[in-house]
């Protein structure tokens, strides 16, 4: 059954990016529907989510404006106040300190499940019309070009002046809109787990570059500062091997790979690995359909920027829609969406290929690259304008 008139926005996909988009648009006074295939599990303090993000200050400000950031902080979020990056082959070290930027923290380590839980809890009060469980099975752009209509698995139809796809890397909506997103497989996986270590993490993100790929230790809240989330980039076969060796052997190999920077590794949670790829949509807009987040761009997790880039898509689109609303204009107008598309595609492509270049430079044992890496990090660490530029870009400030 169709509405008589179109909604302002339909968001497809209710992960972090999609739920934040629906909440932001509804809080700004737009009529918004949100379509999601399944309700997420409630976040539980005693069941930490292995998926964590290095959450940037600009996106914390976005969630604060939406009224959910305080709930995240009160539940569990670990501020990090420093970063240390070095190469296993030796040479200098690149360091970032919050004090140098006049901040109390550089960012926060936050669980995916907690973010989704707090965003979902805020949707009803904002007036978001939630269709869950529900799936999109068809898309029609109206002949007049003034709206798009979704056919849902239930047989219902929804029509809006703008449909936003935030339904992940395998986006169904992207395919229905005819948007191609070529992928480059890195032949690597990101192995994640929680580990306990002898020395406190010092509210610091640690990253060591190895010939097989970077190994990051991200500080985790509680446990006397002696627990971290690891993200270990490895070739496919090596990741598969490390997933299945026994705990003692895994801890020994992990400790060796990390150079015992935080002392002995005492324990580990279950281990999970996910494939890594670069995937960039050829366009973000097709008629009345736009895509954002992983539906539009998947980047290497080397710098932990995936969710940050996705939320910046939403912050920029929110500004476009708010401007249209103030003028009484069409929120899905082609000129506005194309301007947003140009800005975000450029920013996200620059980030994706930048991470790609770093991964290529640091994830190999070629003699020239090995001799170059350490001195480059050391030089960057001795040039405050360079470290400031790196951080400002990552932080979105």
């Amino acid at each position: 059954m169709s509405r008589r008139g179109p909604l302002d926005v339909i968001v497809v996909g209710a992960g972090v990016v999609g739920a934040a988009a629906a909440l932001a648009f509804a809080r700004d006074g737009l009529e918004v529907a949100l379509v999601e295939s399944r309700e997420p599990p409630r976040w539980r303090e005693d069941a930490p989510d292995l998926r964590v993000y290095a959450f940037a200050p600009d996106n914390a400000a976005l969630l604060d404006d939406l009224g959910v950031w305080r709930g995240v902080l009160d539940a569990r979020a670990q501020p990090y106040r420093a970063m240390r990056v070095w190469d296993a082959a030796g040479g200098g070290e690149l360091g970032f300190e919050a004090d140098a930027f006049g901040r109390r923290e550089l960012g926060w380590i936050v669980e995916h499940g907690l973010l989704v839980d707090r965003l979902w809890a805020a949707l009803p009060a904002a007036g978001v019309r939630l269709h869950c469980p529900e799936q999109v099975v068809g898309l029609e752009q109206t002949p007049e070009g003034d709206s798009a209509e979704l056919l849902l698995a239930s047989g219902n139809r929804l029509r809006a002046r703008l449909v936003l796809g935030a339904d992940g890397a395998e986006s169904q909506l992207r395919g229905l809109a005819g948007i191609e997103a070529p992928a480059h497989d890195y032949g690597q996986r990101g192995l994640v787990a929680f580990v306990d270590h002898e020395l406190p993490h010092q509210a610091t993100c640690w990253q060591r570059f190895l010939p097989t790929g970077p190994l990051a230790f991200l500080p985790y809240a509680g446990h006397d500062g002696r627990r971290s989330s690891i993200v270990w980039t490895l070739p496919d076969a090596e990741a598969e091997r490390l997933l299945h060796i026994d705990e003692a052997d895994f801890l020994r190999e992990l400790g060796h790979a990390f150079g015992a920077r935080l002392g002995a590794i005492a324990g580990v949670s279950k281990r999970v690995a996910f494939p890594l790829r670069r995937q960039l949509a050829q366009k973000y807009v097709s008629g009345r359909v736009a895509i954002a987040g992983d539906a539009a761009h998947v980047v290497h997790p080397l710098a932990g920027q995936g969710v940050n880039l996705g939320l910046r898509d939403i912050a920029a689109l929110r500004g476009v829609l708010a401007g249209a609303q103030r003028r009484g204009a069409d929120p899905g107008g082609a000129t506005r969406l194309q301007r947003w598309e140009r800005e975000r595609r450029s920013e996200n492509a620059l980030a994706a290929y930048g991470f790609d270049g770093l991964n290529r430079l640091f994830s190999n044992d070629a003699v020239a690259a090995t001799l170059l890496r350490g001195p480059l990090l050391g030089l960057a660490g001795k040039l405050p304008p360079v470290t400031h530029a790196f951080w400002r870009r990552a932080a979105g400030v």
Side-chain angles (χ1 to χ4, degrees):
M1 185 172 65
S2 298
R3 282 175 43 89
R4 291 181 180 175
L7 293 157
D8 292 313
V9 186
I10 302 168
V11 179
V12 180
V16 174
V17 172
L23 183 58
F25 303 153
R27 287 280 177 88
D28 290 345
L30 298 176
E31 290 187 278
V32 180
L34 180 59
V35 180
E36 172 56 46
S37 60
R38 63 182 181 275
E39 187 172 342
R42 292 301 308 271
W43 178 79
R44 290 170 41 199
E45 187 175 359
D46 63 345
D49 191 341
L50 286 172
R51 295 166 297 176
V52 303
Y53 304 125
F55 213 69
D58 62 326
N59 289 320
L62 172 64
L63 295 197
D64 190 43
D65 185 57
L66 299 180
V68 298
W69 183 241
R70 175 47 56 189
V72 173
L73 292 178
D74 289 345
R76 183 160 60 208
Q78 170 65 53
Y80 61 93
R81 300 185 176 89
M83 298 177 67
R84 295 284 181 270
V85 182
W86 73 104
D87 191 81
E93 178 176 294
L94 179 60
F96 302 83
E97 301 283 349
D99 289 346
F101 302 100
R103 294 188 55 90
R104 290 185 300 175
E105 65 284 303
L106 296 174
W108 297 262
I109 304 301
V110 186
E111 295 159 54
H112 168 89
L114 174 57
L115 288 169
V116 172
D117 184 81
R118 295 303 187 262
L119 286 164
W120 270 64
L123 294 173
V128 175
R129 305 174 190 191
L130 184 61
H131 296 262
C132 177
E134 190 61 277
Q135 287 184 299
V136 176
V137 296
L139 165 69
E140 295 178 6
Q141 306 263 9
T142 59
E144 301 81 8
D146 61 353
S147 61
E149 188 167 77
L150 299 180
L151 172 61
L152 306 182
S154 64
N156 289 330
R157 291 176 178 268
L158 294 173
R159 186 160 63 99
R161 292 188 287 173
L162 173 64
V163 177
L164 177 67
D167 49 339
E170 307 300 332
S171 172
Q172 171 83 353
L173 186 67
R174 184 185 65 218
L176 290 171
I179 299 174
E180 295 186 4
H184 167 72
D185 189 339
Y186 287 110
Q188 297 174 317
R189 296 192 213 174
L191 189 153
V192 298
F194 290 112
V195 298
D196 296 323
H197 36 77
E198 180 184 8
L199 302 176
H201 53 56
Q202 303 165 49
T204 297
C205 293
W206 310 83
Q207 183 157 272
R208 190 186 199 201
F209 285 107
L210 302 157
T212 51
L215 169 59
F217 273 56
L218 308 176
Y220 188 68
H223 304 273
D224 296 323
R226 288 177 166 82
R227 176 168 292 182
S228 293
S229 168
I230 66 164
V231 183
W232 194 354
T233 299
L234 296 155
D236 286 333
E238 183 66 359
E240 186 68 17
R241 183 184 71 83
L242 288 171
L243 280 175
H244 294 102
I245 63 176
D246 66 35
E247 181 175 319
D249 289 339
F250 178 80
L251 292 176
R252 182 169 56 254
E253 294 199 33
L254 176 64
H256 175 73
F258 194 56
R261 195 72 178 250
L262 296 176
I265 311 296
V268 63
S269 70
K270 70 176 181 179
R271 291 159 263 168
V272 174
F274 53 92
L276 305 182
R277 68 180 188 261
R278 181 188 70 237
Q279 181 174 296
L280 299 175
Q282 293 182 340
K283 57 183 179 179
Y284 288 8
V285 176
S286 177
R288 292 282 170 161
V289 175
I291 56 174
D294 283 356
H297 45 83
V298 177
V299 302
H300 198 284
L302 178 127
Q305 289 297 298
V307 75
N308 289 311
L309 294 174
L311 287 173
R312 287 170 193 150
D313 294 342
I314 301 312
L317 184 57
R318 184 189 189 192
V320 169
L321 299 188
Q325 190 179 23
R326 284 193 300 270
R327 296 172 177 82
D330 182 353
T335 302
R336 292 179 179 82
L337 291 182
Q338 287 166 3
R339 187 166 57 246
W340 167 81
E341 177 187 38
R342 285 194 299 271
E343 174 193 331
R344 293 311 305 157
R345 278 195 73 217
S346 174
E347 177 77 16
N348 293 326
L350 183 63
Y353 286 110
F355 302 151
D356 194 26
L358 286 172
N359 184 54
R360 290 174 184 273
L361 173 63
F362 285 96
S363 299
N364 70 76
D365 55 5
V367 173
T370 302
L371 292 174
L372 185 64
R373 291 188 305 241
L376 276 177
L377 287 173
L379 177 62
K382 293 174 182 177
L383 297 172
V386 174
T387 56
H388 279 244
F390 282 161
W391 182 79
R392 283 196 299 271
R393 187 165 191 84
V397 297

